[in-house]
Amino acid sequence: MRKNVLLITILAIVFTVFLSGCQVQPTMAPGKTEANKTLNIVTSFYPMYIATINVANNIPGVKVINMTPPMTGCLHDYQLRPDDLKTLSDAQIFVINGAGMEAFMDKVVSQQPNLKIVDATKGIQLIKGHGEEGDNPHVWVSITNAMQQVKNIGLQLAALDPEHAAQYSANTNIYTNKLEVLRVKMHQAIDGAKNRDIITFHEAFPYFAQEFNLRIVSVIEREPGSEPSAAELADTIEIIKKSNIKALFSEPQYSVKAAETIANETGAKMYTLDPAVTGPMEPNGYIKIMESNMEILQKALN
């Protein structure tokens, strides 16, 4: 009797172990691990970050990180840091302005061949740069172009992350509608201005001038951070005196020394016009900057 009980017990244990071994174990989807459930989207600099956080707003599992420090400004001569490469190595998607702004892209592509690139300027007609320069990359300074960049980002993110395509599309529509309201408001404020001639600090405003039918008659510094020569200063002073221009526009990201010199020599008043390359890291940051530009231009051009 005891032998039969023992035998039955052993058989029951063996049967239980056998059944547990036959159960289907849960598996992760191919390529998925606990560590990479989050979709990491990296943006190259401020205007791309603001556009992308609006397009990806409140989408579960999607994280947007800006690669460059908040006060970097334009990326004309930006050199990638080891921290930047580390940030990109943890990302699946890199949102860039394009049009040659990110001169370091060859290095990124060679070191991160699996990184998906979203080009925000795709299909936008570019303005030729000064002299031997390539195309001007400051596309986002035009409200119309900024809207197209947002649409480009939304479409490309939806294609790369189809699970959330509907949310990217809805967010894109919400933000472009806000930008459309801004565009209408700025045209109402600026289109009737008495003066259309302006002098700017560097080559950041051709698209803005094109949008609002302004004429850039001179640029104080062609290259950001490079002081104009004495001859260039003299030429600008002569242009202002002949054309009777009343306003100079410097930028908050750069020294105003040259602009102050010109203002002192000509009596022209100096204002600050912001190309939105830095600013508050919040969804309405770009809109706030452009609204401030609108108020400044209303005063300066009238």
Side-chain angles (χ1 to χ4, degrees):
M1 181 68 178
R2 289 182 180 177
K3 288 183 178 180
N4 289 340
V5 172
L6 181 60
L7 180 60
I8 291 170
T9 302
I10 292 171
L11 288 173
I13 293 171
V14 170
F15 185 65
T16 301
V17 171
F18 174 77
L19 284 179
S20 65
C22 291
Q23 289 177 350
V24 178
Q25 299 299 319
T27 57
M28 301 294 289
K32 287 281 188 180
T33 67
E34 291 295 331
N36 68 9
K37 280 184 177 181
T38 299
L39 177 65
N40 290 318
I41 302 173
V42 172
T43 59
S44 59
F45 72 135
Y46 180 76
M48 296 303 100
Y49 175 76
I50 297 302
T52 304
I53 61 173
N54 279 282
V55 171
N57 183 44
N58 287 330
I59 298 181
V62 176
K63 182 179 181 181
V64 181
I65 305 160
N66 194 45
M67 184 185 75
T68 50
M71 300 308 291
T72 296
C74 280
L75 301 181
H76 298 287
D77 299 310
Y78 185 80
Q79 299 294 318
L80 287 175
R81 308 167 304 160
D83 284 351
D84 298 333
L85 294 171
K86 174 64 171 66
T87 298
L88 290 172
S89 71
D90 294 331
Q92 290 79 48
I93 298 173
F94 188 28
V95 179
I96 65 171
N97 178 75
M101 174 60 76
E102 294 86 355
F104 49 73
M105 282 306 297
D106 286 347
K107 186 173 183 180
V108 171
V109 172
S110 66
Q111 295 200 18
Q112 306 291 339
N114 295 322
L115 187 63
K116 304 300 182 184
I117 308 299
V118 169
D119 185 343
T121 306
K122 186 176 181 180
I124 295 176
Q125 186 173 359
L126 301 176
I127 295 174
K128 183 74 174 68
H130 177 74
E132 298 299 318
E133 297 173 6
D135 294 323
N136 190 305
H138 300 84
V139 172
W140 69 91
V141 188
S142 155
I143 313 297
T144 300
N145 287 341
M147 292 170 66
Q148 186 57 53
Q149 286 191 307
V150 171
K151 292 176 184 177
N152 284 342
I153 293 169
L155 286 171
Q156 293 176 64
L157 288 181
L160 293 171
D161 183 22
E163 181 182 349
H164 299 116
Q167 291 160 289
Y168 289 122
S169 178
N171 286 340
T172 297
N173 288 336
I174 290 170
Y175 189 47
T176 53
N177 286 341
K178 289 181 180 180
L179 293 176
E180 174 60 21
V181 171
L182 172 69
R183 179 170 67 173
V184 170
K185 188 195 306 186
M186 290 188 71
H187 274 285
Q188 289 174 342
I190 298 171
D191 286 353
K194 298 176 183 177
N195 303 308
R196 317 304 300 178
D197 293 346
I198 63 173
I199 290 180
T200 61
F201 199 71
H202 85 279
E203 295 277 18
F205 291 97
Y207 295 97
F208 185 91
Q210 184 182 67
E211 167 111 27
F212 295 104
N213 194 28
L214 303 174
R215 188 169 76 96
I216 299 175
V217 297
S218 184
V219 177
I220 297 173
E221 292 184 9
R222 293 286 177 186
E223 289 296 324
S226 63
E227 291 292 329
S229 66
E232 289 170 333
L233 279 174
D235 287 343
T236 303
I237 290 169
E238 187 66 20
I239 289 170
I240 292 173
K241 288 180 176 179
K242 285 182 177 179
S243 59
N244 200 32
I245 291 173
K246 301 297 184 183
L248 303 174
F249 294 97
S250 62
E251 296 174 32
Q253 293 83 14
Y254 301 105
S255 166
V256 296
K257 182 179 177 182
E260 286 176 341
T261 299
I262 294 169
N264 290 335
E265 289 291 328
T266 62
K269 191 171 181 181
M270 196 167 68
Y271 297 88
T272 300
L273 205 58
D274 195 335
V277 292
T278 61
M281 306 294 278
E282 58 187 56
N284 286 329
Y286 175 85
I287 291 175
K288 289 179 179 179
I289 290 170
M290 287 299 166
E291 286 177 337
S292 176
N293 284 339
M294 175 186 69
E295 293 170 2
I296 290 167
L297 281 166
Q298 280 183 296
K299 296 176 183 176
L301 298 180
N302 291 302

